[in-house]
Amino acid sequence: MKDSLNTLFRELNPEQQKAVEETEGPVLVFAGAGSGKTRVLTYRIAFILKEQKASPWEILAMTFTNKAAGEMKNRIQHFGDKNKNLWIGTFHSIFAKILRWEAGLLGYSPDFVIYDADDKERLIKTIMEDTGIPLQNYNPRSISESIGRAKNGLVSPESFIASINTPFQEVVSRIYPEYQNRLRINNAFDFEDLITVPLRLFSENPEVLEKYQRRFKYILVDEYQDTNKAQYRLVYQLAKKHRNLCVVGDDDQSIYRWRGADVRNILEFEKDFPDSKVFKLEQNYRSTQTILIVANSVVEKNAARKAKKLWSAKEMGEKVDVIETADEREEAQKVVEKIKEEVFRKKRTFRDFAILYRTNAQSRALEDDLRRSGMSYIIVGGVRFYERKEIKDILAYLKIIVNTKDSVSLKRIINFPLRGIGDSTTQKMEQWALERGLHLFESIRRIKEITDIPLRIQKNISNFYDLIQKYISLKSKISPNELVRTLVDEIGLMTMYKQDPSIENQSRAENIREFLAAVSEYVDSSESPSLSEFLEQVSLITDVDAWDDKSNAITLMTLHCAKGLEFPVIFITGMEEGLFPISRSEDEPEALEEERRLFYVGLTRAKEKIYLSWAEKRRLFNESYFRLPSRFLDELDSSCVHKMKPHPRKHVKFTSNDFKQEVTYTCDTHPDYESYSQEVDPYRCGTRVHHQTFGKGKIVSVEGKGKKKKVVVRFDSGGQKKFLVQYAQFEIL
DNA sequence: GGCAATAGGCTTTTT
DNA sequence: GCCTATTGCC
């Protein structure tokens, strides 16, 4: 171990080495993209162990993704295989583990299940139905998000009620306390709970907090800029005793503000810990100089950031190519063309490429073309595997077997596959349970006592009860693997899907097979496999975690997903106003800065070459829209950019379809369209208008025709608003 | 209670 | 354009 440490120490630059050796007291490491952040973290742990400052189980290292945690674990294994007992994991998995141990103190049993966004929404819907809040007026998802935001910001149901400003918040304030109540009844936690409940646990039980404070002599936090208020408090609490806290992050890569992440946590670390040591890692080992110049030129436009400048000892490298295309199909073609060129010219292979985009929906056009060209690709993200309906159905069975109190899962499967227990019956049973303060599962067990359910249906219910009961008793006798296979077989899922030869059912059957394989894999890899541990793993996994760089394929994913990864060649597609930066960020400077950081993250994924592309016309939802190039393209250091002119278009052809569609056209860049247009209409892009209330402005987009015609006007005062032309009473200037 | 047809919502990003 | 949830009919 000593040898390998010495060898590797030579690989650290002076700043990295200082950050590794400064083990005592609070330490803040600003680690720019590609500056060897993971290396510093792992060496630091290895160094602490080597100096025998702590035992492995006294070191806690927290990350945001399983992938990052796994990489850290892997690298540390190189230093010695006794390091298995280190506490390395995601925030959520670490605290899920602690919650299992301390569940009793919270009125939970250790078999609790973890609800994902879908379960959460179902529960909220149930509450809305029960409390008579009309689903039509309030969207359960917005309510779920609102509650999530409150929890991340440590706003309790009580304080939420105290700060109501809108009717919507009033509705949320009625649901929020009941939601927490039902979670407890269902013996379930949601994602936010995994962070906020430990905090409550610690504040209500100081002796428990002290136990963990004493245990964790050294605490490390990765991607500190992504912590939210709750996570920050949790870290702060745990580190208070030994004060050996090392946080590593990069404010320029903070891209999860919308999820409650608070950059202030990293920017104000020195305020929270006045005696902290600060290190800045600014040498980038990943990218060419050109790439860093371009990336810096973009992120410098942000006001809220710590001054720093990444540099590289590498060569200048190639310029960034900006590609302008006619529509998203041509964009895809160009990307494919460039990949072919790179493969041919530079002898690159598919795994060298990543195609990034802002929204998952953009992947389709790219996929179509890649498939046509016979190039292998993998999509990371999108519809997550464990969130697919057929998988969630099986998971719901498993959750019930582990925790019969979980009424959300119970309702999901009570009549799936169809067994003659319909909605009205379920409602009767719920009502019966509610009146007696029992769980829904109790109604099922004691179905004979519910006399207003016909005998025939009672029989169906008691069959269902026997089925679940059988697996509950099997749970301790056979492995999760055998149990799941028997279950899938008994409820006839595979036969059900296979019977129908439609593509979607075939792919469902395929997914179930994949799921069964995942269970086997879990059983093989775990020391003491249990159903409940498997469920936890599944709940906390993401698709990036499953991304493996071994297969030789082009990677497609969102910019968010790409964080922490690197590729020789990066494509960032859809560089258009309204898409990137996404339209919702336009009127909020902080959101816009976050978009810019996201762009920065994308750019710094590249080792050698960057292609940026945008399309003049793009299909979104079901309509075509004309587009303007992203403002970010203007922010690139022009000396490092090479603009590729679109193919000379001899005739801009518009099919009759183009005129039938309801399109948004932006005219400044499309004089061609004007000459083809049969409509003489003063309300088009670029027209300056005056509005009674808002003053003077310019039309920036148009949609719809006739009476439905709407325009978006950007006013000189700064704001932007959409109007129905019919009612707006504009004065044309 | 079951099933097929239709309406409606959505697309920013995720542990 | 897709997926899901709801509706209306059997």
Side-chain angles (χ1 to χ4, degrees), chain A residues 351-382:
Chain A
R351 78 165 69 82
D352 293 342
F353 302 92
I355 309 174
L356 310 181
Y357 34 78
R358 182 64 236 269
T359 66
N360 278 308
Q362 285 165 256
S363 70
R364 178 155 296 127
L366 294 159
E367 276 181 80
D368 288 346
D369 238 67
L370 288 166
R371 211 178 304 119
R372 244 198 305 277
S373 315
M375 299 164 120
S376 49
Y377 65 90
I378 48 166
I379 295 193
V380 181

mmCIF file of all heavy atoms in Angstrom, chain A residues 351-382:
data_model
loop_
_atom_site.group_PDB
_atom_site.id
_atom_site.type_symbol
_atom_site.label_atom_id
_atom_site.label_comp_id
_atom_site.label_asym_id
_atom_site.label_seq_id
_atom_site.Cartn_x
_atom_site.Cartn_y
_atom_site.Cartn_z
ATOM 1 N N ARG A 351 -17.144 4.813 -29.181
ATOM 2 C CA ARG A 351 -17.212 5.207 -27.780
ATOM 3 C C ARG A 351 -16.557 6.555 -27.508
ATOM 4 O O ARG A 351 -16.668 7.092 -26.418
ATOM 5 C CB ARG A 351 -16.611 4.131 -26.878
ATOM 6 C CG ARG A 351 -15.082 4.104 -26.849
ATOM 7 C CD ARG A 351 -14.574 3.270 -25.684
ATOM 8 N NE ARG A 351 -14.847 1.848 -25.867
ATOM 9 C CZ ARG A 351 -14.095 1.035 -26.598
ATOM 10 N NH1 ARG A 351 -13.029 1.492 -27.229
ATOM 11 N NH2 ARG A 351 -14.395 -0.246 -26.696
ATOM 12 N N ASP A 352 -15.891 7.116 -28.505
ATOM 13 C CA ASP A 352 -15.260 8.426 -28.327
ATOM 14 C C ASP A 352 -16.259 9.575 -28.390
ATOM 15 O O ASP A 352 -15.913 10.714 -28.107
ATOM 16 C CB ASP A 352 -14.215 8.660 -29.429
ATOM 17 C CG ASP A 352 -13.034 7.712 -29.299
ATOM 18 O OD1 ASP A 352 -12.869 7.137 -28.208
ATOM 19 O OD2 ASP A 352 -12.297 7.550 -30.286
ATOM 20 N N PHE A 353 -17.480 9.276 -28.802
ATOM 21 C CA PHE A 353 -18.435 10.356 -29.056
ATOM 22 C C PHE A 353 -19.577 10.390 -28.041
ATOM 23 O O PHE A 353 -20.097 9.349 -27.647
ATOM 24 C CB PHE A 353 -19.077 10.187 -30.440
ATOM 25 C CG PHE A 353 -18.085 10.162 -31.565
ATOM 26 C CD1 PHE A 353 -17.565 8.955 -32.028
ATOM 27 C CD2 PHE A 353 -17.656 11.344 -32.155
ATOM 28 C CE1 PHE A 353 -16.656 8.934 -33.064
ATOM 29 C CE2 PHE A 353 -16.743 11.327 -33.191
ATOM 30 C CZ PHE A 353 -16.238 10.120 -33.648
ATOM 31 N N ALA A 354 -19.935 11.604 -27.672
ATOM 32 C CA ALA A 354 -21.178 11.787 -26.923
ATOM 33 C C ALA A 354 -21.979 12.884 -27.601
ATOM 34 O O ALA A 354 -21.423 13.902 -28.005
ATOM 35 C CB ALA A 354 -20.902 12.156 -25.484
ATOM 36 N N ILE A 355 -23.265 12.630 -27.761
ATOM 37 C CA ILE A 355 -24.158 13.647 -28.300
ATOM 38 C C ILE A 355 -25.033 14.119 -27.148
ATOM 39 O O ILE A 355 -25.752 13.321 -26.543
ATOM 40 C CB ILE A 355 -25.036 13.077 -29.427
ATOM 41 C CG1 ILE A 355 -24.158 12.367 -30.469
ATOM 42 C CG2 ILE A 355 -25.849 14.189 -30.077
ATOM 43 C CD1 ILE A 355 -24.951 11.647 -31.542
ATOM 44 N N LEU A 356 -24.928 15.406 -26.842
ATOM 45 C CA LEU A 356 -25.660 15.939 -25.691
ATOM 46 C C LEU A 356 -26.799 16.843 -26.141
ATOM 47 O O LEU A 356 -26.735 17.461 -27.208
ATOM 48 C CB LEU A 356 -24.716 16.735 -24.788
ATOM 49 C CG LEU A 356 -23.413 16.049 -24.379
ATOM 50 C CD1 LEU A 356 -22.607 16.953 -23.457
ATOM 51 C CD2 LEU A 356 -23.688 14.719 -23.696
ATOM 52 N N TYR A 357 -27.829 16.898 -25.340
ATOM 53 C CA TYR A 357 -28.956 17.768 -25.637
ATOM 54 C C TYR A 357 -29.584 18.226 -24.340
ATOM 55 O O TYR A 357 -29.325 17.676 -23.275
ATOM 56 C CB TYR A 357 -29.999 17.037 -26.496
ATOM 57 C CG TYR A 357 -30.122 15.569 -26.183
ATOM 58 C CD1 TYR A 357 -30.822 15.150 -25.067
ATOM 59 C CD2 TYR A 357 -29.508 14.601 -26.993
ATOM 60 C CE1 TYR A 357 -30.917 13.810 -24.764
ATOM 61 C CE2 TYR A 357 -29.598 13.253 -26.687
ATOM 62 C CZ TYR A 357 -30.307 12.854 -25.574
ATOM 63 O OH TYR A 357 -30.388 11.527 -25.261
ATOM 64 N N ARG A 358 -30.422 19.264 -24.457
ATOM 65 C CA ARG A 358 -31.019 19.853 -23.267
ATOM 66 C C ARG A 358 -32.185 19.021 -22.736
ATOM 67 O O ARG A 358 -32.379 18.851 -21.553
ATOM 68 C CB ARG A 358 -31.482 21.285 -23.588
ATOM 69 C CG ARG A 358 -32.098 22.069 -22.450
ATOM 70 C CD ARG A 358 -31.071 22.306 -21.352
ATOM 71 N NE ARG A 358 -31.537 21.809 -20.075
ATOM 72 C CZ ARG A 358 -32.213 22.511 -19.183
ATOM 73 N NH1 ARG A 358 -32.461 23.760 -19.395
ATOM 74 N NH2 ARG A 358 -32.605 21.978 -18.051
ATOM 75 N N THR A 359 -33.011 18.518 -23.660
ATOM 76 C CA THR A 359 -34.181 17.752 -23.230
ATOM 77 C C THR A 359 -34.184 16.357 -23.852
ATOM 78 O O THR A 359 -33.750 16.180 -24.995
ATOM 79 C CB THR A 359 -35.494 18.448 -23.649
ATOM 80 O OG1 THR A 359 -35.572 18.430 -25.079
ATOM 81 C CG2 THR A 359 -35.555 19.875 -23.174
ATOM 82 N N ASN A 360 -34.674 15.416 -23.111
ATOM 83 C CA ASN A 360 -34.690 14.033 -23.586
ATOM 84 C C ASN A 360 -35.428 13.868 -24.915
ATOM 85 O O ASN A 360 -35.070 13.032 -25.722
ATOM 86 C CB ASN A 360 -35.333 13.131 -22.540
ATOM 87 C CG ASN A 360 -34.346 12.750 -21.467
ATOM 88 O OD1 ASN A 360 -33.255 12.268 -21.774
ATOM 89 N ND2 ASN A 360 -34.706 12.973 -20.224
ATOM 90 N N ALA A 361 -36.444 14.704 -25.100
ATOM 91 C CA ALA A 361 -37.256 14.572 -26.308
ATOM 92 C C ALA A 361 -36.439 14.761 -27.580
ATOM 93 O O ALA A 361 -36.823 14.300 -28.646
ATOM 94 C CB ALA A 361 -38.401 15.575 -26.270
ATOM 95 N N GLN A 362 -35.299 15.432 -27.468
ATOM 96 C CA GLN A 362 -34.489 15.691 -28.655
ATOM 97 C C GLN A 362 -33.791 14.449 -29.192
ATOM 98 O O GLN A 362 -33.237 14.472 -30.286
ATOM 99 C CB GLN A 362 -33.423 16.751 -28.337
ATOM 100 C CG GLN A 362 -33.955 18.149 -28.247
ATOM 101 C CD GLN A 362 -32.956 19.077 -27.587
ATOM 102 O OE1 GLN A 362 -33.102 19.448 -26.438
ATOM 103 N NE2 GLN A 362 -31.915 19.450 -28.302
ATOM 104 N N SER A 363 -33.792 13.393 -28.431
ATOM 105 C CA SER A 363 -33.008 12.236 -28.854
ATOM 106 C C SER A 363 -33.605 11.509 -30.056
ATOM 107 O O SER A 363 -32.892 10.858 -30.805
ATOM 108 C CB SER A 363 -32.855 11.254 -27.693
ATOM 109 O OG SER A 363 -34.092 10.646 -27.409
ATOM 110 N N ARG A 364 -34.910 11.656 -30.260
ATOM 111 C CA ARG A 364 -35.569 10.822 -31.265
ATOM 112 C C ARG A 364 -34.989 10.989 -32.670
ATOM 113 O O ARG A 364 -34.620 10.019 -33.318
ATOM 114 C CB ARG A 364 -37.070 11.082 -31.283
ATOM 115 C CG ARG A 364 -37.783 10.251 -32.375
ATOM 116 C CD ARG A 364 -39.209 10.012 -32.053
ATOM 117 N NE ARG A 364 -39.350 9.216 -30.854
ATOM 118 C CZ ARG A 364 -40.085 9.560 -29.821
ATOM 119 N NH1 ARG A 364 -40.731 10.687 -29.840
ATOM 120 N NH2 ARG A 364 -40.177 8.775 -28.778
ATOM 121 N N ALA A 365 -34.886 12.258 -33.110
ATOM 122 C CA ALA A 365 -34.378 12.501 -34.459
ATOM 123 C C ALA A 365 -32.967 11.936 -34.608
ATOM 124 O O ALA A 365 -32.616 11.362 -35.636
ATOM 125 C CB ALA A 365 -34.385 13.996 -34.744
ATOM 126 N N LEU A 366 -32.168 12.107 -33.569
ATOM 127 C CA LEU A 366 -30.796 11.612 -33.610
ATOM 128 C C LEU A 366 -30.780 10.091 -33.706
ATOM 129 O O LEU A 366 -30.056 9.507 -34.502
ATOM 130 C CB LEU A 366 -30.051 12.068 -32.358
ATOM 131 C CG LEU A 366 -29.833 13.581 -32.248
ATOM 132 C CD1 LEU A 366 -29.574 13.998 -30.814
ATOM 133 C CD2 LEU A 366 -28.681 14.014 -33.141
ATOM 134 N N GLU A 367 -31.635 9.474 -32.890
ATOM 135 C CA GLU A 367 -31.726 8.017 -32.909
ATOM 136 C C GLU A 367 -32.083 7.493 -34.292
ATOM 137 O O GLU A 367 -31.473 6.552 -34.787
ATOM 138 C CB GLU A 367 -32.836 7.556 -31.968
ATOM 139 C CG GLU A 367 -32.450 7.425 -30.550
ATOM 140 C CD GLU A 367 -33.651 6.943 -29.765
ATOM 141 O OE1 GLU A 367 -33.931 5.737 -29.788
ATOM 142 O OE2 GLU A 367 -34.329 7.792 -29.152
ATOM 143 N N ASP A 368 -33.083 8.124 -34.894
ATOM 144 C CA ASP A 368 -33.540 7.674 -36.210
ATOM 145 C C ASP A 368 -32.389 7.618 -37.193
ATOM 146 O O ASP A 368 -32.220 6.648 -37.924
ATOM 147 C CB ASP A 368 -34.621 8.627 -36.753
ATOM 148 C CG ASP A 368 -35.928 8.450 -36.002
ATOM 149 O OD1 ASP A 368 -36.048 7.439 -35.276
ATOM 150 O OD2 ASP A 368 -36.805 9.316 -36.127
ATOM 151 N N ASP A 369 -31.596 8.684 -37.183
ATOM 152 C CA ASP A 369 -30.525 8.743 -38.153
ATOM 153 C C ASP A 369 -29.382 7.798 -37.832
ATOM 154 O O ASP A 369 -28.777 7.215 -38.726
ATOM 155 C CB ASP A 369 -29.994 10.178 -38.250
ATOM 156 C CG ASP A 369 -30.104 10.680 -39.668
ATOM 157 O OD1 ASP A 369 -31.257 10.844 -40.108
ATOM 158 O OD2 ASP A 369 -29.061 10.844 -40.310
ATOM 159 N N LEU A 370 -29.097 7.661 -36.552
ATOM 160 C CA LEU A 370 -28.036 6.737 -36.164
ATOM 161 C C LEU A 370 -28.428 5.319 -36.545
ATOM 162 O O LEU A 370 -27.618 4.529 -37.033
ATOM 163 C CB LEU A 370 -27.772 6.833 -34.663
ATOM 164 C CG LEU A 370 -27.064 8.108 -34.207
ATOM 165 C CD1 LEU A 370 -27.152 8.277 -32.701
ATOM 166 C CD2 LEU A 370 -25.597 8.090 -34.633
ATOM 167 N N ARG A 371 -29.693 5.005 -36.323
ATOM 168 C CA ARG A 371 -30.169 3.662 -36.636
ATOM 169 C C ARG A 371 -30.068 3.421 -38.142
ATOM 170 O O ARG A 371 -29.596 2.391 -38.580
ATOM 171 C CB ARG A 371 -31.601 3.480 -36.143
ATOM 172 C CG ARG A 371 -31.896 2.046 -35.737
ATOM 173 C CD ARG A 371 -33.316 1.886 -35.196
ATOM 174 N NE ARG A 371 -33.606 2.761 -34.071
ATOM 175 C CZ ARG A 371 -34.559 3.687 -34.080
ATOM 176 N NH1 ARG A 371 -35.311 3.862 -35.157
ATOM 177 N NH2 ARG A 371 -34.775 4.424 -33.013
ATOM 178 N N ARG A 372 -30.512 4.416 -38.905
ATOM 179 C CA ARG A 372 -30.451 4.306 -40.360
ATOM 180 C C ARG A 372 -29.020 4.079 -40.830
ATOM 181 O O ARG A 372 -28.779 3.341 -41.776
ATOM 182 C CB ARG A 372 -30.989 5.596 -40.995
ATOM 183 C CG ARG A 372 -32.251 5.392 -41.811
ATOM 184 C CD ARG A 372 -32.491 6.561 -42.748
ATOM 185 N NE ARG A 372 -32.526 7.844 -42.044
ATOM 186 C CZ ARG A 372 -33.600 8.316 -41.422
ATOM 187 N NH1 ARG A 372 -34.722 7.636 -41.423
ATOM 188 N NH2 ARG A 372 -33.569 9.481 -40.803
ATOM 189 N N SER A 373 -28.088 4.733 -40.157
ATOM 190 C CA SER A 373 -26.699 4.612 -40.582
ATOM 191 C C SER A 373 -26.030 3.365 -40.019
ATOM 192 O O SER A 373 -24.849 3.136 -40.252
ATOM 193 C CB SER A 373 -25.908 5.834 -40.126
ATOM 194 O OG SER A 373 -26.624 7.000 -40.373
ATOM 195 N N GLY A 374 -26.776 2.625 -39.229
ATOM 196 C CA GLY A 374 -26.230 1.397 -38.666
ATOM 197 C C GLY A 374 -25.120 1.634 -37.654
ATOM 198 O O GLY A 374 -24.232 0.803 -37.479
ATOM 199 N N MET A 375 -25.156 2.769 -36.981
ATOM 200 C CA MET A 375 -24.140 3.032 -35.961
ATOM 201 C C MET A 375 -24.702 2.654 -34.606
ATOM 202 O O MET A 375 -25.850 2.972 -34.291
ATOM 203 C CB MET A 375 -23.781 4.521 -35.973
ATOM 204 C CG MET A 375 -23.197 4.956 -37.301
ATOM 205 S SD MET A 375 -23.244 6.740 -37.435
ATOM 206 C CE MET A 375 -21.518 7.077 -37.622
ATOM 207 N N SER A 376 -23.888 1.986 -33.789
ATOM 208 C CA SER A 376 -24.426 1.585 -32.492
ATOM 209 C C SER A 376 -24.370 2.763 -31.530
ATOM 210 O O SER A 376 -23.414 3.527 -31.497
ATOM 211 C CB SER A 376 -23.667 0.388 -31.947
ATOM 212 O OG SER A 376 -22.289 0.608 -32.018
ATOM 213 N N TYR A 377 -25.417 2.899 -30.773
ATOM 214 C CA TYR A 377 -25.504 4.012 -29.836
ATOM 215 C C TYR A 377 -26.228 3.548 -28.590
ATOM 216 O O TYR A 377 -26.966 2.555 -28.625
ATOM 217 C CB TYR A 377 -26.271 5.179 -30.471
ATOM 218 C CG TYR A 377 -27.726 4.875 -30.760
ATOM 219 C CD1 TYR A 377 -28.714 5.134 -29.810
ATOM 220 C CD2 TYR A 377 -28.099 4.312 -31.977
ATOM 221 C CE1 TYR A 377 -30.036 4.847 -30.069
ATOM 222 C CE2 TYR A 377 -29.421 4.019 -32.244
ATOM 223 C CZ TYR A 377 -30.389 4.286 -31.281
ATOM 224 O OH TYR A 377 -31.700 3.988 -31.540
ATOM 225 N N ILE A 378 -26.005 4.237 -27.490
ATOM 226 C CA ILE A 378 -26.815 3.981 -26.312
ATOM 227 C C ILE A 378 -27.366 5.288 -25.786
ATOM 228 O O ILE A 378 -26.699 6.320 -25.821
ATOM 229 C CB ILE A 378 -26.060 3.268 -25.170
ATOM 230 C CG1 ILE A 378 -24.713 3.953 -24.905
ATOM 231 C CG2 ILE A 378 -25.854 1.811 -25.462
ATOM 232 C CD1 ILE A 378 -24.098 3.521 -23.608
ATOM 233 N N ILE A 379 -28.597 5.201 -25.324
ATOM 234 C CA ILE A 379 -29.225 6.371 -24.742
ATOM 235 C C ILE A 379 -29.200 6.230 -23.236
ATOM 236 O O ILE A 379 -29.617 5.212 -22.700
ATOM 237 C CB ILE A 379 -30.675 6.493 -25.216
ATOM 238 C CG1 ILE A 379 -30.666 6.741 -26.716
ATOM 239 C CG2 ILE A 379 -31.382 7.610 -24.504
ATOM 240 C CD1 ILE A 379 -31.981 7.183 -27.245
ATOM 241 N N VAL A 380 -28.681 7.231 -22.574
ATOM 242 C CA VAL A 380 -28.684 7.218 -21.123
ATOM 243 C C VAL A 380 -29.811 8.132 -20.676
ATOM 244 O O VAL A 380 -29.921 9.252 -21.151
ATOM 245 C CB VAL A 380 -27.337 7.716 -20.575
ATOM 246 C CG1 VAL A 380 -27.328 7.667 -19.060
ATOM 247 C CG2 VAL A 380 -26.205 6.894 -21.146
ATOM 248 N N GLY A 381 -30.639 7.640 -19.765
ATOM 249 C CA GLY A 381 -31.730 8.472 -19.283
ATOM 250 C C GLY A 381 -32.983 8.253 -20.097
ATOM 251 O O GLY A 381 -33.201 7.178 -20.625
ATOM 252 N N GLY A 382 -33.798 9.258 -20.211
ATOM 253 C CA GLY A 382 -35.072 9.075 -20.875
ATOM 254 C C GLY A 382 -36.018 8.395 -19.910
ATOM 255 O O GLY A 382 -35.995 8.691 -18.724
#
